[in-house]
Each structure stands twice: as structure tokens, then as C-alpha cells.
PDB file of all heavy atoms in Angstrom:
ATOM      1  N   ASP R   1     -45.101  32.195  29.977  1.00  0.00           N
ATOM      2  CA  ASP R   1     -46.350  32.098  30.931  1.00  0.00           C
ATOM      3  C   ASP R   1     -47.212  33.307  30.847  1.00  0.00           C
ATOM      4  O   ASP R   1     -48.435  33.157  30.767  1.00  0.00           O
ATOM      5  CB  ASP R   1     -45.773  31.922  32.320  1.00  0.00           C
ATOM      6  CG  ASP R   1     -45.194  30.551  32.596  1.00  0.00           C
ATOM      7  OD1 ASP R   1     -45.292  29.675  31.715  1.00  0.00           O
ATOM      8  OD2 ASP R   1     -44.556  30.386  33.595  1.00  0.00           O
ATOM      9  N   ASP R   2     -46.637  34.500  30.827  1.00  0.00           N
ATOM     10  CA  ASP R   2     -47.482  35.724  30.882  1.00  0.00           C
ATOM     11  C   ASP R   2     -48.177  35.872  29.473  1.00  0.00           C
ATOM     12  O   ASP R   2     -49.409  36.239  29.445  1.00  0.00           O
ATOM     13  CB  ASP R   2     -46.640  36.941  31.106  1.00  0.00           C
ATOM     14  CG  ASP R   2     -46.200  37.078  32.553  1.00  0.00           C
ATOM     15  OD1 ASP R   2     -46.773  36.297  33.400  1.00  0.00           O
ATOM     16  OD2 ASP R   2     -45.327  37.894  32.859  1.00  0.00           O
ATOM     17  N   VAL R   3     -47.516  35.544  28.375  1.00  0.00           N
ATOM     18  CA  VAL R   3     -48.173  35.628  27.089  1.00  0.00           C
ATOM     19  C   VAL R   3     -49.269  34.562  26.992  1.00  0.00           C
ATOM     20  O   VAL R   3     -50.405  34.860  26.522  1.00  0.00           O
ATOM     21  CB  VAL R   3     -47.144  35.390  25.949  1.00  0.00           C
ATOM     22  CG1 VAL R   3     -47.814  35.312  24.654  1.00  0.00           C
ATOM     23  CG2 VAL R   3     -46.128  36.506  25.919  1.00  0.00           C
ATOM     24  N   ARG R   4     -49.026  33.374  27.469  1.00  0.00           N
ATOM     25  CA  ARG R   4     -50.018  32.311  27.445  1.00  0.00           C
ATOM     26  C   ARG R   4     -51.254  32.707  28.267  1.00  0.00           C
ATOM     27  O   ARG R   4     -52.387  32.560  27.755  1.00  0.00           O
ATOM     28  CB  ARG R   4     -49.399  31.066  27.948  1.00  0.00           C
ATOM     29  CG  ARG R   4     -50.320  29.775  27.792  1.00  0.00           C
ATOM     30  CD  ARG R   4     -49.646  28.600  28.251  1.00  0.00           C
ATOM     31  NE  ARG R   4     -48.591  28.106  27.393  1.00  0.00           N
ATOM     32  CZ  ARG R   4     -47.271  28.316  27.641  1.00  0.00           C
ATOM     33  NH1 ARG R   4     -46.912  28.704  28.822  1.00  0.00           N
ATOM     34  NH2 ARG R   4     -46.358  27.899  26.737  1.00  0.00           N
ATOM     35  N   GLN R   5     -51.065  33.283  29.433  1.00  0.00           N
ATOM     36  CA  GLN R   5     -52.108  33.678  30.241  1.00  0.00           C
ATOM     37  C   GLN R   5     -52.972  34.775  29.586  1.00  0.00           C
ATOM     38  O   GLN R   5     -54.211  34.768  29.566  1.00  0.00           O
ATOM     39  CB  GLN R   5     -51.608  34.165  31.621  1.00  0.00           C
ATOM     40  CG  GLN R   5     -52.760  34.568  32.587  1.00  0.00           C
ATOM     41  CD  GLN R   5     -52.171  35.078  33.902  1.00  0.00           C
ATOM     42  OE1 GLN R   5     -51.058  35.473  34.007  1.00  0.00           O
ATOM     43  NE2 GLN R   5     -53.042  35.067  34.968  1.00  0.00           N
ATOM     44  N   ALA R   6     -52.267  35.733  29.066  1.00  0.00           N
ATOM     45  CA  ALA R   6     -52.969  36.916  28.301  1.00  0.00           C
ATOM     46  C   ALA R   6     -53.732  36.333  27.083  1.00  0.00           C
ATOM     47  O   ALA R   6     -54.825  36.800  26.879  1.00  0.00           O
ATOM     48  CB  ALA R   6     -51.958  37.922  27.906  1.00  0.00           C
ATOM     49  N   PHE R   7     -53.089  35.496  26.342  1.00  0.00           N
ATOM     50  CA  PHE R   7     -53.718  34.935  25.183  1.00  0.00           C
ATOM     51  C   PHE R   7     -55.006  34.153  25.495  1.00  0.00           C
ATOM     52  O   PHE R   7     -56.057  34.331  24.906  1.00  0.00           O
ATOM     53  CB  PHE R   7     -52.758  34.029  24.424  1.00  0.00           C
ATOM     54  CG  PHE R   7     -53.377  33.358  23.179  1.00  0.00           C
ATOM     55  CD1 PHE R   7     -53.734  34.112  22.117  1.00  0.00           C
ATOM     56  CD2 PHE R   7     -53.593  31.999  23.126  1.00  0.00           C
ATOM     57  CE1 PHE R   7     -54.247  33.533  20.934  1.00  0.00           C
ATOM     58  CE2 PHE R   7     -54.143  31.435  22.032  1.00  0.00           C
ATOM     59  CZ  PHE R   7     -54.467  32.206  20.935  1.00  0.00           C
ATOM     60  N   GLN R   8     -54.938  33.302  26.535  1.00  0.00           N
ATOM     61  CA  GLN R   8     -56.081  32.522  26.909  1.00  0.00           C
ATOM     62  C   GLN R   8     -57.224  33.366  27.429  1.00  0.00           C
ATOM     63  O   GLN R   8     -58.415  33.066  27.176  1.00  0.00           O
ATOM     64  CB  GLN R   8     -55.677  31.517  28.035  1.00  0.00           C
ATOM     65  CG  GLN R   8     -54.779  30.411  27.489  1.00  0.00           C
ATOM     66  CD  GLN R   8     -54.169  29.527  28.575  1.00  0.00           C
ATOM     67  OE1 GLN R   8     -54.282  29.796  29.777  1.00  0.00           O
ATOM     68  NE2 GLN R   8     -53.563  28.414  28.155  1.00  0.00           N
ATOM     69  N   GLY R   9     -56.886  34.481  28.068  1.00  0.00           N
ATOM     70  CA  GLY R   9     -57.926  35.373  28.528  1.00  0.00           C
ATOM     71  C   GLY R   9     -58.570  36.272  27.389  1.00  0.00           C
ATOM     72  O   GLY R   9     -59.724  36.708  27.525  1.00  0.00           O
ATOM     73  N   ALA R  10     -57.735  36.552  26.424  1.00  0.00           N
ATOM     74  CA  ALA R  10     -58.155  37.474  25.401  1.00  0.00           C
ATOM     75  C   ALA R  10     -58.848  36.842  24.227  1.00  0.00           C
ATOM     76  O   ALA R  10     -59.696  37.468  23.509  1.00  0.00           O
ATOM     77  CB  ALA R  10     -56.984  38.348  24.909  1.00  0.00           C
ATOM     78  N   ARG R  11     -58.480  35.593  23.976  1.00  0.00           N
ATOM     79  CA  ARG R  11     -58.999  34.944  22.770  1.00  0.00           C
ATOM     80  C   ARG R  11     -60.446  34.795  22.669  1.00  0.00           C
ATOM     81  O   ARG R  11     -61.114  34.431  23.656  1.00  0.00           O
ATOM     82  CB  ARG R  11     -58.279  33.600  22.646  1.00  0.00           C
ATOM     83  CG  ARG R  11     -58.524  32.834  21.301  1.00  0.00           C
ATOM     84  CD  ARG R  11     -57.854  31.521  21.303  1.00  0.00           C
ATOM     85  NE  ARG R  11     -57.745  30.986  19.964  1.00  0.00           N
ATOM     86  CZ  ARG R  11     -57.288  29.738  19.686  1.00  0.00           C
ATOM     87  NH1 ARG R  11     -56.861  28.973  20.716  1.00  0.00           N
ATOM     88  NH2 ARG R  11     -57.123  29.394  18.485  1.00  0.00           N
ATOM     89  N   SER R  12     -61.009  35.150  21.496  1.00  0.00           N
ATOM     90  CA  SER R  12     -62.440  35.095  21.328  1.00  0.00           C
ATOM     91  C   SER R  12     -62.758  35.125  19.872  1.00  0.00           C
ATOM     92  O   SER R  12     -62.051  35.865  19.129  1.00  0.00           O
ATOM     93  CB  SER R  12     -63.158  36.256  22.039  1.00  0.00           C
ATOM     94  OG  SER R  12     -64.495  36.410  21.599  1.00  0.00           O
ATOM     95  N   PRO R  13     -63.814  34.464  19.356  1.00  0.00           N
ATOM     96  CA  PRO R  13     -64.109  34.505  17.924  1.00  0.00           C
ATOM     97  C   PRO R  13     -64.535  35.969  17.511  1.00  0.00           C
ATOM     98  O   PRO R  13     -64.438  36.275  16.306  1.00  0.00           O
ATOM     99  CB  PRO R  13     -65.318  33.577  17.799  1.00  0.00           C
ATOM    100  CG  PRO R  13     -65.265  32.653  18.997  1.00  0.00           C
ATOM    101  CD  PRO R  13     -64.594  33.482  20.116  1.00  0.00           C
ATOM    102  N   GLN R  14     -64.913  36.785  18.457  1.00  0.00           N
ATOM    103  CA  GLN R  14     -65.316  38.159  18.085  1.00  0.00           C
ATOM    104  C   GLN R  14     -64.205  39.163  18.248  1.00  0.00           C
ATOM    105  O   GLN R  14     -64.412  40.341  18.084  1.00  0.00           O
ATOM    106  CB  GLN R  14     -66.500  38.589  19.040  1.00  0.00           C
ATOM    107  CG  GLN R  14     -67.780  37.882  18.783  1.00  0.00           C
ATOM    108  CD  GLN R  14     -67.841  36.516  19.317  1.00  0.00           C
ATOM    109  OE1 GLN R  14     -67.331  36.210  20.396  1.00  0.00           O
ATOM    110  NE2 GLN R  14     -68.438  35.622  18.531  1.00  0.00           N
ATOM    111  N   ARG R  15     -63.014  38.606  18.528  1.00  0.00           N
ATOM    112  CA  ARG R  15     -61.855  39.513  18.734  1.00  0.00           C
ATOM    113  C   ARG R  15     -60.761  39.334  17.759  1.00  0.00           C
ATOM    114  O   ARG R  15     -60.425  38.213  17.296  1.00  0.00           O
ATOM    115  CB  ARG R  15     -61.321  39.349  20.179  1.00  0.00           C
ATOM    116  CG  ARG R  15     -61.837  40.233  21.155  1.00  0.00           C
ATOM    117  CD  ARG R  15     -61.109  40.053  22.544  1.00  0.00           C
ATOM    118  NE  ARG R  15     -61.464  41.064  23.417  1.00  0.00           N
ATOM    119  CZ  ARG R  15     -61.277  40.970  24.720  1.00  0.00           C
ATOM    120  NH1 ARG R  15     -60.776  39.856  25.236  1.00  0.00           N
ATOM    121  NH2 ARG R  15     -61.612  41.955  25.536  1.00  0.00           N
ATOM    122  N   VAL R  16     -60.026  40.449  17.424  1.00  0.00           N
ATOM    123  CA  VAL R  16     -58.726  40.408  16.739  1.00  0.00           C
ATOM    124  C   VAL R  16     -57.648  40.420  17.799  1.00  0.00           C
ATOM    125  O   VAL R  16     -57.616  41.345  18.575  1.00  0.00           O
ATOM    126  CB  VAL R  16     -58.587  41.598  15.774  1.00  0.00           C
ATOM    127  CG1 VAL R  16     -57.193  41.587  15.197  1.00  0.00           C
ATOM    128  CG2 VAL R  16     -59.603  41.498  14.726  1.00  0.00           C
ATOM    129  N   VAL R  17     -56.829  39.364  17.870  1.00  0.00           N
ATOM    130  CA  VAL R  17     -55.735  39.272  18.855  1.00  0.00           C
ATOM    131  C   VAL R  17     -54.416  39.388  18.134  1.00  0.00           C
ATOM    132  O   VAL R  17     -54.169  38.551  17.216  1.00  0.00           O
ATOM    133  CB  VAL R  17     -55.801  37.981  19.639  1.00  0.00           C
ATOM    134  CG1 VAL R  17     -54.644  37.955  20.629  1.00  0.00           C
ATOM    135  CG2 VAL R  17     -57.109  37.943  20.417  1.00  0.00           C
ATOM    136  N   ALA R  18     -53.600  40.364  18.495  1.00  0.00           N
ATOM    137  CA  ALA R  18     -52.244  40.485  17.878  1.00  0.00           C
ATOM    138  C   ALA R  18     -51.210  40.359  18.986  1.00  0.00           C
ATOM    139  O   ALA R  18     -51.226  41.061  19.956  1.00  0.00           O
ATOM    140  CB  ALA R  18     -52.133  41.881  17.227  1.00  0.00           C
ATOM    141  N   ILE R  19     -50.317  39.395  18.783  1.00  0.00           N
ATOM    142  CA  ILE R  19     -49.238  39.154  19.728  1.00  0.00           C
ATOM    143  C   ILE R  19     -48.049  39.982  19.337  1.00  0.00           C
ATOM    144  O   ILE R  19     -47.544  39.769  18.231  1.00  0.00           O
ATOM    145  CB  ILE R  19     -48.929  37.695  19.857  1.00  0.00           C
ATOM    146  CG1 ILE R  19     -50.091  36.966  20.439  1.00  0.00           C
ATOM    147  CG2 ILE R  19     -47.677  37.522  20.832  1.00  0.00           C
ATOM    148  CD1 ILE R  19     -49.986  35.378  20.460  1.00  0.00           C
ATOM    149  N   SER R  20     -47.576  40.877  20.192  1.00  0.00           N
ATOM    150  CA  SER R  20     -46.443  41.718  19.843  1.00  0.00           C
ATOM    151  C   SER R  20     -45.251  41.395  20.721  1.00  0.00           C
ATOM    152  O   SER R  20     -44.141  41.876  20.573  1.00  0.00           O
ATOM    153  CB  SER R  20     -46.783  43.186  20.000  1.00  0.00           C
ATOM    154  OG  SER R  20     -47.676  43.603  18.929  1.00  0.00           O
ATOM    155  N   SER R  21     -45.373  40.600  21.736  1.00  0.00           N
ATOM    156  CA  SER R  21     -44.303  40.094  22.533  1.00  0.00           C
ATOM    157  C   SER R  21     -43.311  39.373  21.686  1.00  0.00           C
ATOM    158  O   SER R  21     -43.621  38.738  20.673  1.00  0.00           O
ATOM    159  CB  SER R  21     -44.826  39.129  23.654  1.00  0.00           C
ATOM    160  OG  SER R  21     -45.815  39.805  24.458  1.00  0.00           O
ATOM    161  N   THR R  22     -41.968  39.393  22.146  1.00  0.00           N
ATOM    162  CA  THR R  22     -40.986  38.648  21.445  1.00  0.00           C
ATOM    163  C   THR R  22     -41.256  37.092  21.672  1.00  0.00           C
ATOM    164  O   THR R  22     -41.337  36.680  22.861  1.00  0.00           O
ATOM    165  CB  THR R  22     -39.590  38.977  21.925  1.00  0.00           C
ATOM    166  OG1 THR R  22     -39.343  40.378  21.667  1.00  0.00           O
ATOM    167  CG2 THR R  22     -38.512  38.180  21.233  1.00  0.00           C
ATOM    168  N   MET R  23     -41.367  36.394  20.647  1.00  0.00           N
ATOM    169  CA  MET R  23     -41.634  34.956  20.717  1.00  0.00           C
ATOM    170  C   MET R  23     -40.462  34.153  20.105  1.00  0.00           C
ATOM    171  O   MET R  23     -39.839  34.578  19.110  1.00  0.00           O
ATOM    172  CB  MET R  23     -42.899  34.617  20.009  1.00  0.00           C
ATOM    173  CG  MET R  23     -44.192  35.399  20.444  1.00  0.00           C
ATOM    174  SD  MET R  23     -44.683  34.812  22.085  1.00  0.00           S
ATOM    175  CE  MET R  23     -45.500  33.304  21.726  1.00  0.00           C
ATOM    176  N   PRO R  24     -40.222  33.045  20.745  1.00  0.00           N
ATOM    177  CA  PRO R  24     -39.243  32.089  20.180  1.00  0.00           C
ATOM    178  C   PRO R  24     -39.784  31.439  18.888  1.00  0.00           C
ATOM    179  O   PRO R  24     -41.012  31.432  18.728  1.00  0.00           O
ATOM    180  CB  PRO R  24     -38.944  31.055  21.199  1.00  0.00           C
ATOM    181  CG  PRO R  24     -40.254  30.975  21.985  1.00  0.00           C
ATOM    182  CD  PRO R  24     -40.792  32.405  21.969  1.00  0.00           C
ATOM    183  N   ILE R  25     -38.974  30.882  18.077  1.00  0.00           N
ATOM    184  CA  ILE R  25     -39.457  30.191  16.874  1.00  0.00           C
ATOM    185  C   ILE R  25     -40.206  28.924  17.382  1.00  0.00           C
ATOM    186  O   ILE R  25     -39.709  28.094  18.171  1.00  0.00           O
ATOM    187  CB  ILE R  25     -38.243  29.735  16.008  1.00  0.00           C
ATOM    188  CG1 ILE R  25     -37.537  30.906  15.470  1.00  0.00           C
ATOM    189  CG2 ILE R  25     -38.791  28.913  14.851  1.00  0.00           C
ATOM    190  CD1 ILE R  25     -36.262  30.695  14.734  1.00  0.00           C
ATOM    191  N   GLY R  26     -41.444  28.848  16.944  1.00  0.00           N
ATOM    192  CA  GLY R  26     -42.364  27.742  17.431  1.00  0.00           C
ATOM    193  C   GLY R  26     -43.136  28.241  18.670  1.00  0.00           C
ATOM    194  O   GLY R  26     -43.996  27.440  19.106  1.00  0.00           O
ATOM    195  N   GLY R  27     -42.904  29.407  19.193  1.00  0.00           N
ATOM    196  CA  GLY R  27     -43.622  29.813  20.384  1.00  0.00           C
ATOM    197  C   GLY R  27     -45.134  30.083  20.152  1.00  0.00           C
ATOM    198  O   GLY R  27     -45.897  29.710  21.024  1.00  0.00           O
ATOM    199  N   CYS R  28     -45.468  30.589  18.981  1.00  0.00           N
ATOM    200  CA  CYS R  28     -46.883  30.796  18.688  1.00  0.00           C
ATOM    201  C   CYS R  28     -47.620  29.515  18.600  1.00  0.00           C
ATOM    202  O   CYS R  28     -48.785  29.391  18.962  1.00  0.00           O
ATOM    203  CB  CYS R  28     -47.007  31.679  17.446  1.00  0.00           C
ATOM    204  SG  CYS R  28     -46.528  33.393  17.603  1.00  0.00           S
ATOM    205  N   ARG R  29     -46.948  28.505  18.119  1.00  0.00           N
ATOM    206  CA  ARG R  29     -47.631  27.206  18.028  1.00  0.00           C
ATOM    207  C   ARG R  29     -47.852  26.572  19.344  1.00  0.00           C
ATOM    208  O   ARG R  29     -48.739  25.700  19.510  1.00  0.00           O
ATOM    209  CB  ARG R  29     -46.706  26.252  17.114  1.00  0.00           C
ATOM    210  CG  ARG R  29     -47.481  25.080  16.554  1.00  0.00           C
ATOM    211  CD  ARG R  29     -46.621  24.295  15.516  1.00  0.00           C
ATOM    212  NE  ARG R  29     -46.489  25.000  14.231  1.00  0.00           N
ATOM    213  CZ  ARG R  29     -47.459  25.065  13.328  1.00  0.00           C
ATOM    214  NH1 ARG R  29     -48.541  24.390  13.504  1.00  0.00           N
ATOM    215  NH2 ARG R  29     -47.141  25.723  12.211  1.00  0.00           N
ATOM    216  N   GLN R  30     -47.090  26.987  20.391  1.00  0.00           N
ATOM    217  CA  GLN R  30     -47.384  26.545  21.704  1.00  0.00           C
ATOM    218  C   GLN R  30     -48.672  27.141  22.245  1.00  0.00           C
ATOM    219  O   GLN R  30     -49.351  26.565  23.122  1.00  0.00           O
ATOM    220  CB  GLN R  30     -46.236  26.896  22.624  1.00  0.00           C
ATOM    221  CG  GLN R  30     -44.917  26.222  22.363  1.00  0.00           C
ATOM    222  CD  GLN R  30     -43.847  26.619  23.330  1.00  0.00           C
ATOM    223  OE1 GLN R  30     -44.095  26.786  24.521  1.00  0.00           O
ATOM    224  NE2 GLN R  30     -42.659  26.786  22.881  1.00  0.00           N
ATOM    225  N   LEU R  31     -49.127  28.243  21.688  1.00  0.00           N
ATOM    226  CA  LEU R  31     -50.408  28.847  22.078  1.00  0.00           C
ATOM    227  C   LEU R  31     -51.497  28.200  21.389  1.00  0.00           C
ATOM    228  O   LEU R  31     -52.605  27.955  21.927  1.00  0.00           O
ATOM    229  CB  LEU R  31     -50.367  30.390  21.764  1.00  0.00           C
ATOM    230  CG  LEU R  31     -49.305  31.119  22.407  1.00  0.00           C
ATOM    231  CD1 LEU R  31     -49.397  32.655  21.961  1.00  0.00           C
ATOM    232  CD2 LEU R  31     -49.239  31.033  23.954  1.00  0.00           C
ATOM    233  N   ASP R  32     -51.371  27.859  20.087  1.00  0.00           N
ATOM    234  CA  ASP R  32     -52.403  27.130  19.331  1.00  0.00           C
ATOM    235  C   ASP R  32     -51.680  26.354  18.224  1.00  0.00           C
ATOM    236  O   ASP R  32     -50.968  26.924  17.385  1.00  0.00           O
ATOM    237  CB  ASP R  32     -53.357  28.120  18.658  1.00  0.00           C
ATOM    238  CG  ASP R  32     -54.514  27.438  17.942  1.00  0.00           C
ATOM    239  OD1 ASP R  32     -54.269  26.954  16.791  1.00  0.00           O
ATOM    240  OD2 ASP R  32     -55.585  27.273  18.569  1.00  0.00           O
ATOM    241  N   GLU R  33     -51.820  25.056  18.310  1.00  0.00           N
ATOM    242  CA  GLU R  33     -51.180  24.138  17.357  1.00  0.00           C
ATOM    243  C   GLU R  33     -51.399  24.475  15.919  1.00  0.00           C
ATOM    244  O   GLU R  33     -50.539  24.327  15.044  1.00  0.00           O
ATOM    245  CB  GLU R  33     -51.570  22.674  17.721  1.00  0.00           C
ATOM    246  CG  GLU R  33     -50.904  21.676  16.821  1.00  0.00           C
ATOM    247  CD  GLU R  33     -49.422  21.570  16.937  1.00  0.00           C
ATOM    248  OE1 GLU R  33     -48.877  21.815  18.001  1.00  0.00           O
ATOM    249  OE2 GLU R  33     -48.763  21.235  15.937  1.00  0.00           O
ATOM    250  N   ASN R  34     -52.656  24.986  15.658  1.00  0.00           N
ATOM    251  CA  ASN R  34     -53.028  25.288  14.343  1.00  0.00           C
ATOM    252  C   ASN R  34     -52.739  26.717  13.882  1.00  0.00           C
ATOM    253  O   ASN R  34     -53.094  27.154  12.798  1.00  0.00           O
ATOM    254  CB  ASN R  34     -54.497  24.889  14.024  1.00  0.00           C
ATOM    255  CG  ASN R  34     -54.728  23.404  14.216  1.00  0.00           C
ATOM    256  OD1 ASN R  34     -54.005  22.583  13.755  1.00  0.00           O
ATOM    257  ND2 ASN R  34     -55.796  23.043  15.082  1.00  0.00           N
ATOM    258  N   LEU R  35     -52.260  27.485  14.791  1.00  0.00           N
ATOM    259  CA  LEU R  35     -51.917  28.902  14.573  1.00  0.00           C
ATOM    260  C   LEU R  35     -53.165  29.718  14.152  1.00  0.00           C
ATOM    261  O   LEU R  35     -53.050  30.553  13.185  1.00  0.00           O
ATOM    262  CB  LEU R  35     -50.803  29.063  13.503  1.00  0.00           C
ATOM    263  CG  LEU R  35     -49.449  28.450  13.877  1.00  0.00           C
ATOM    264  CD1 LEU R  35     -48.496  28.565  12.687  1.00  0.00           C
ATOM    265  CD2 LEU R  35     -48.861  29.082  15.125  1.00  0.00           C
ATOM    266  N   LEU R  36     -54.235  29.430  14.832  1.00  0.00           N
ATOM    267  CA  LEU R  36     -55.544  30.091  14.452  1.00  0.00           C
ATOM    268  C   LEU R  36     -55.962  31.045  15.536  1.00  0.00           C
ATOM    269  O   LEU R  36     -55.632  30.926  16.685  1.00  0.00           O
ATOM    270  CB  LEU R  36     -56.620  29.067  14.225  1.00  0.00           C
ATOM    271  CG  LEU R  36     -56.381  28.107  13.053  1.00  0.00           C
ATOM    272  CD1 LEU R  36     -57.471  27.063  12.992  1.00  0.00           C
ATOM    273  CD2 LEU R  36     -56.294  28.808  11.730  1.00  0.00           C
TER     274      LEU R  36
END
């Protein structure tokens, strides 16, 4: 939940976003299906 909230707030075409939180396998795909 906290990662998802942070990601939704930070994501922007003008930004580089790096997730450093521990993620489960497939967790990043829950943030964006295309991993973009």
C-alpha cells in the first residue's frame, strides 16, 4: 500500500523513479502491468 501510494504520487514522464523497497515477485507488475 505505501509503495503503491508513493509510486502513484511520484510517477511522471519527466521523472526517473527507482523503487528500492523490498518487493515480492510480481509486485512491480502490480504497480504497472507493462513495467514502464
Side-chain angles (χ1 to χ4, degrees):
D1 288 349
D2 286 348
V3 173
R4 187 177 290 107
Q5 181 182 21
F7 176 69
Q8 291 171 349
R11 190 180 195 183
S12 165
Q14 288 76 43
R15 264 184 171 163
V16 173
V17 178
I19 297 173
S20 290
S21 304
T22 298
M23 301 291 284
I25 297 171
C28 288
R29 198 171 289 279
Q30 293 182 40
L31 303 180
D32 185 279
E33 179 65 29
N34 297 313
L35 300 176
L36 298 176

